[in-house]
Amino acid sequence: MPYIRETILTTISEAGDVHIAPLGIIQEGDGWVIAPFRPSTTLANIEANGLAVVNYTDDAKIFAGCLTGRKTWPLAPIGGCPVPRLEAALAHDVLKVERVTEDDTRPRHFCKVVSSGQHRPFTGMNRAKAAVLEAAILVSRLKMLPAEKIESEIAYLKIAIDKTAGPDEETAFYWLLEKVIEHLAEVERAG
Ligand SMILES: Cc1cc2nc3c(=O)[nH]c(=O)nc-3n(C[C@H](O)[C@H](O)[C@H](O)COP(=O)(O)O)c2cc1C
């Protein structure tokens, strides 16, 4: 399996509107593959201008927020690049698309890093941040998973939250939990 970095991508539309979305970037040779499913705003934006900024952040609220309708986060300009970065980024890479493997469901955009920046220190690993990341991925796949699997994963991830979260990780997990509860209630009503 290839190495994947879980990141927040910033992209811009032709009109200049900024879009923020969590995305895993996939290591390939001396570059990175961005593979958004169709349809998505991220895909439309990189098709329009061939640019994406990869934000390396450990801010659990941004991952959880993007999955729960909280898509506006402070931005900062990058010199010489029309796409801004997240203000909260510890570091960023500007990626430029070099070639595309077309696909009806998930085209792969192979990119090279054209510039980078460092902004804040990394302050260490944390189980609750990792649990929020896993819960965010779970929430992005709710429709594909059986209810029992969702319930058991959330129960497991909550252990790390209870033991190691700060207020931000607790809030982020709660946002995701609300989505999960909503989804499970819908499944029960339908079923
Ligand atoms: C950690 C993480 C990684 C993700 N990676 C991908 C990915 O590689 N491709 C994808 O299509 N969606 C991925 N998603 C889901 C997208 O963030 C979500 O579908 C998003 O809304 C993209 O659509 P948009 O560009 O229209 O906002 C990921 C979600 C999370 C939480």
Side-chain angles (χ1 to χ4, degrees):
M1 289 296 282
Y3 185 77
I4 297 179
R5 287 179 178 165
E6 304 301 348
T7 73
I8 306 285
L9 238 58
T10 38
T11 55
I12 52 167
S13 69
E14 251 167 306
D17 296 325
V18 179
H19 186 70
I20 302 174
L23 235 95
I25 61 165
I26 306 159
Q27 189 169 40
E28 192 175 296
D30 57 352
W32 295 91
V33 171
I34 302 174
F37 284 95
R38 282 187 197 281
S40 77
T41 307
T42 302
L43 177 60
N45 288 354
I46 58 175
E47 280 177 346
N49 50 46
L51 276 180
V53 171
V54 181
N55 296 272
Y56 303 114
T57 178
D58 60 356
D59 188 330
K61 284 171 78 178
I62 301 182
F63 283 95
C66 287
L67 270 289
T68 56
R70 299 165 176 90
K71 288 209 150 211
T72 308
W73 297 94
L75 300 166
I78 298 174
C81 174
V83 185
R85 66 172 173 89
L86 287 178
E87 207 280 320
L90 305 178
H92 77 265
D93 285 331
V94 177
L95 295 189
K96 194 169 186 308
V97 177
E98 287 224 322
R99 56 178 191 274
V100 183
T101 309
E102 285 300 347
D103 187 86
D104 285 347
T105 50
R106 200 179 183 191
R108 291 167 61 86
H109 290 68
F110 178 85
C111 306
K112 284 276 185 69
V113 176
V114 292
S115 70
S116 302
Q118 303 258 4
H119 312 293
R120 289 154 196 264
F122 173 61
T123 56
M125 311 272 273
N126 170 258
R127 289 180 62 198
K129 286 184 194 294
V132 169
L133 182 66
E134 287 301 324
I137 290 173
L138 187 77
V139 164
S140 77
R141 295 178 183 158
L142 286 176
K143 292 211 167 81
M144 295 174 243
L145 297 170
E148 309 76 57
K149 167 97 175 148
I150 297 168
E151 283 164 6
S152 67
E153 294 260 321
I154 285 291
Y156 177 69
L157 294 171
K158 193 171 175 298
I159 299 169
I161 299 295
D162 291 344
K163 288 187 173 168
T164 71
D168 285 352
E169 292 73 32
E170 270 179 4
T171 301
F173 196 74
Y174 178 75
W175 289 347
L176 294 166
L177 208 52
E178 278 184 321
K179 261 272 191 270
V180 169
I181 290 166
E182 234 171 68
H183 171 77
L184 293 176
E186 256 171 50
V187 170
E188 203 163 300
R189 268 199 303 276

